[in-house]
Amino acid sequence: MKKEEIDEFIDNRFKKIARHFRKAIDNFKTEDIREFRSEIKKLKVFLHLINMESENGFSYRITQRMKTIYGYFGVIQNLQLQLKKINEYVKKTSCNIPAGYLNMLERELKFWKKISKDFIVADYDFFNDKKELITTLPDKLTKKSIRKFIHYTLYELQAISGHLDDYSLDNTRKFMEDIYYNYALIKPFITPQQTNLFDEKAIEECLELFSDFRDKCGAVILLQTFGIDELDESEKKLLKEMENDWLHEKKELKNQLLVKLDSMQIKSNSLSEFALEDSLTE
């Protein structure tokens, strides 16, 4: 991949980022925020690949401004999803509405929307961020670096394989996103022995499960930590029942996810064989 191709890729990605940002900051619709954050994620994942050209492996990153607004919008997205999940739960179970908790969520959501608008102007085009990033990028992305990326990803997946805690699973998700969003670039370098692990359709299905699982984890954490002490006892009891139901759903999602990972050999010892083969063919 030549310098001109890298710059063109970055330029196209920034155009999409700016377009989705203007829609998201204008109305804070959940789908617009999701699209904006998705485009930032795709850029970050591409930079993970490009970083194989750097000496330290992490020289090329999005700007601090982009990282901050990505985080702000993430908080807003989580609060919006929590409000949606609470209302869906109330409708499904016909329980009382946890009005105090919903009001706290609404106030927090309003606060983060204001923080976001105060941080960055609505018509910001990310031109300076693109310019800052492009000036740091390497002259090319070599075949050797792509193979190095595959080997590194396999090594990291091997290191966390078999760990069933939520943190390790989230790290697995990140490395699978690295594979999925860079798939077109790394596909020609995937060996026949790695096709099961690097199957694009299987990874897509797995990432959908990861998304559902991560949403459920976030919902449970917000129930456990956000302003519970300020509520009356009846509402605390209701939210505790909700938490128990969601923990059960989280466990079911986790089991589905582990079964899917097993089918892709993510948790098996064969990962070490993949990593070894890759290192021998570099």
Side-chain angles (χ1 to χ4, degrees):
M1 196 175 194
K2 299 178 181 179
K3 174 68 172 174
E4 296 78 16
E5 294 173 306
I6 295 174
D7 290 351
E8 182 181 4
F9 183 96
I10 295 293
D11 184 63
N12 289 335
R13 186 61 63 204
F14 267 95
K15 286 178 181 177
K16 293 179 180 179
I17 287 171
R19 182 171 70 250
H20 288 298
F21 168 75
R22 285 190 290 270
K23 293 175 67 177
I25 198 73
D26 180 58
N27 53 39
F28 291 105
K29 288 184 178 179
T30 303
E31 182 59 24
D32 292 331
I33 290 175
R34 190 195 67 79
E35 290 287 352
F36 169 73
R37 282 173 50 84
S38 177
E39 292 301 330
I40 294 282
K41 180 183 293 184
K42 290 174 185 177
L43 174 60
K44 290 169 64 178
V45 164
F46 178 68
L47 293 177
H48 292 166
L49 175 56
I50 292 292
N51 266 309
M52 294 297 107
E53 291 287 342
S54 68
E55 292 184 3
N56 57 21
F58 51 85
S59 295
Y60 316 121
R61 299 181 176 185
I62 63 172
T63 64
Q64 185 59 49
R65 182 188 296 104
M66 297 175 73
K67 184 177 180 181
T68 299
I69 196 63
Y70 179 86
Y72 287 172
F73 278 15
V75 174
I76 291 170
Q77 186 179 44
N78 288 339
L79 292 168
Q80 289 173 333
L81 287 173
Q82 190 75 344
L83 284 163
K84 180 182 178 182
K85 288 180 182 297
I86 295 285
N87 287 317
E88 288 174 347
Y89 183 89
V90 169
K91 184 176 181 180
K92 178 182 177 181
T93 62
S94 300
C95 66
N96 293 329
I97 297 173
Y101 185 69
L102 290 177
N103 287 335
M104 284 193 296
L105 289 174
E106 291 283 5
R107 289 198 303 269
E108 193 73 6
L109 183 58
K110 183 178 180 180
F111 170 80
W112 282 102
K113 287 179 179 179
K114 183 180 185 305
I115 288 289
S116 299
K117 283 185 173 291
D118 289 345
F119 176 74
I120 194 168
V121 295
D123 59 350
Y124 187 71
D125 60 7
F126 293 91
F127 175 81
N128 290 334
D129 303 83
K130 181 183 72 173
K131 183 179 178 181
E132 180 181 334
L133 178 59
I134 285 181
T135 57
T136 68
L137 294 178
D139 293 333
K140 59 184 177 298
L141 175 64
T142 64
K143 294 178 181 179
K144 180 180 179 181
S145 290
I146 295 175
R147 292 191 180 98
K148 181 180 177 183
F149 173 82
I150 294 173
H151 174 66
Y152 169 75
T153 304
L154 285 169
Y155 173 82
E156 291 295 337
L157 284 171
Q158 180 196 357
I160 57 179
S161 64
H163 296 276
L164 306 182
D165 59 283
D166 293 353
Y167 178 78
S168 296
L169 284 174
D170 199 50
N171 280 332
T172 300
R173 171 190 62 82
K174 293 175 183 178
F175 287 114
M176 293 187 73
E177 286 176 344
D178 280 357
I179 298 169
Y180 182 73
Y181 291 117
N182 285 315
Y183 194 80
L185 292 170
I186 70 174
K187 183 178 179 180
F189 304 93
I190 297 173
T191 67
Q193 292 80 11
Q194 297 165 347
T195 52
N196 194 39
L197 175 62
F198 285 87
D199 180 80
E200 187 176 19
K201 180 62 177 177
I203 293 174
E204 182 179 2
E205 293 172 355
C206 196
L207 288 176
E208 289 176 1
L209 283 172
F210 267 120
S211 179
D212 292 341
F213 178 69
R214 197 173 185 222
D215 286 348
K216 191 63 67 176
C217 289
V220 170
I221 290 172
L222 277 175
L223 273 183
Q224 292 172 336
T225 62
F226 185 71
I228 301 298
D229 293 339
E230 302 176 26
L231 304 174
D232 61 40
E233 291 304 316
S234 61
E235 195 160 336
K236 286 180 182 179
K237 182 179 179 181
L238 171 59
L239 293 180
K240 188 62 180 178
E241 293 173 357
M242 193 181 301
E243 178 189 339
N244 290 335
D245 287 344
W246 287 0
L247 283 171
H248 177 72
E249 292 173 7
K250 175 188 168 184
K251 183 178 180 180
E252 290 184 339
L253 281 169
K254 188 172 186 175
N255 288 337
Q256 293 177 40
L257 186 54
L258 294 176
V259 168
K260 186 63 180 178
L261 290 172
D262 268 336
S263 72
M264 297 172 63
Q265 301 180 328
I266 296 295
K267 286 169 53 190
S268 74
N269 291 331
S270 56
L271 272 176
S272 59
E273 298 172 11
F274 292 148
L276 178 60
E277 278 192 23
D278 194 63
S279 64
L280 292 174
T281 56
E282 273 193 12

